[in-house]
Amino acid sequence: MAIRPILKMGNPALHVVSLPVADPGSAETRALIDDMRDTLESVSGIGLAAPQISVPLRVVLYCLPAARIPQGAATQPVPWTPLINPVITPLGDEKVDLWERCLSLPGLYARVPRHRHIEIRYQNIDAQWITRQCHGYHATLLQHECDHLDGVLYPARMPDASTLAYASEVCGPAGVYTYSVAEFDGT
Ligand code: NI
């Protein structure tokens, strides 16, 4: 287990299309996921894609801690969850543009249009296929992370750059934006 350097925007390795994982249960995959978790915990992050630590494989690790969920929201916390070979299908045409940030663009926030409701299909470390529906913030988080697997950073999803902002200007010294219940739940 190890904390790995997180690549920043401008590094060409963030723009490659990552390869499928042939053996989700292998020792190598488990070691990768352990390193992703150590790396995330070292920066208090909740989502990371393998290419961000220089591994061009289709693996995302994320969680949705209770502390990040606004009071009164219906969204349930999600424990650390590896998504192996994930595929996202939008549910409907509705879009939202929530403030989002990325460990590869530290200190910045932007409003990025995303599908409000999605279905995601992925393999777990036992190679079982799992399908779940996600909404609001949870849906945008997963679209953001899975974009990394196709070499896409969020500025490429912005129709214009006018909402690109420093975190301190969007949410003050705390640096973490507080979502409304409706934004979070996608209602
Ligand atoms: Ni990111």
Side-chain angles (χ1 to χ4, degrees):
M1 308 224 300
I3 295 168
R4 308 266 291 261
I6 298 174
L7 303 182
K8 294 195 181 70
M9 183 170 65
N11 191 304
L14 290 170
H15 297 292
V16 303
V17 176
S18 291
L19 296 171
V21 175
D23 183 0
S26 70
E28 289 77 12
T29 308
R30 288 167 192 265
L32 168 63
I33 291 165
D34 283 347
D35 283 358
M36 291 172 72
R37 179 164 170 175
D38 288 347
T39 303
L40 274 169
E41 287 181 336
S42 76
V43 294
S44 301
I46 63 167
L48 186 71
Q52 289 179 279
I53 56 165
S54 308
V55 178
L57 291 173
R58 301 188 83 79
V59 178
V60 164
L61 181 69
Y62 85 105
C63 67
L64 218 47
R68 297 281 188 107
I69 299 177
Q71 257 193 334
T75 303
Q76 294 299 302
V78 178
W80 286 115
T81 302
L83 309 173
I84 301 169
N85 301 324
V87 179
I88 286 177
T89 307
L91 298 174
D93 297 327
E94 266 187 283
K95 296 262 186 112
V96 286
D97 58 337
L98 304 188
W99 286 110
E100 63 185 71
R101 59 183 177 160
C102 180
L103 292 169
S104 295
L105 289 78
L108 296 174
Y109 266 92
R111 285 189 176 275
V112 183
R114 305 279 186 190
H115 297 286
R116 190 193 296 262
H117 308 289
I118 62 159
E119 185 169 272
I120 187 163
R121 190 165 176 269
Y122 62 92
Q123 285 176 287
N124 64 18
I125 53 168
D126 298 318
Q128 293 166 324
W129 283 97
I130 294 178
T131 302
R132 77 183 293 178
Q133 296 188 351
C134 305
H135 314 280
Y137 177 83
H138 192 182
T140 65
L141 172 66
L142 297 188
Q143 288 167 84
H144 174 119
E145 299 306 339
C146 290
D147 264 355
H148 281 296
L149 307 180
D150 291 320
V152 175
L153 300 181
Y154 72 65
R157 294 288 189 197
M158 297 173 68
D160 71 77
S162 63
T163 64
L164 191 62
Y166 286 100
S168 56
E169 303 300 319
V170 175
C171 39
V176 179
Y177 180 74
T178 304
Y179 299 92
S180 72
V181 167
E183 283 179 319
F184 210 87
D185 285 343
T187 54

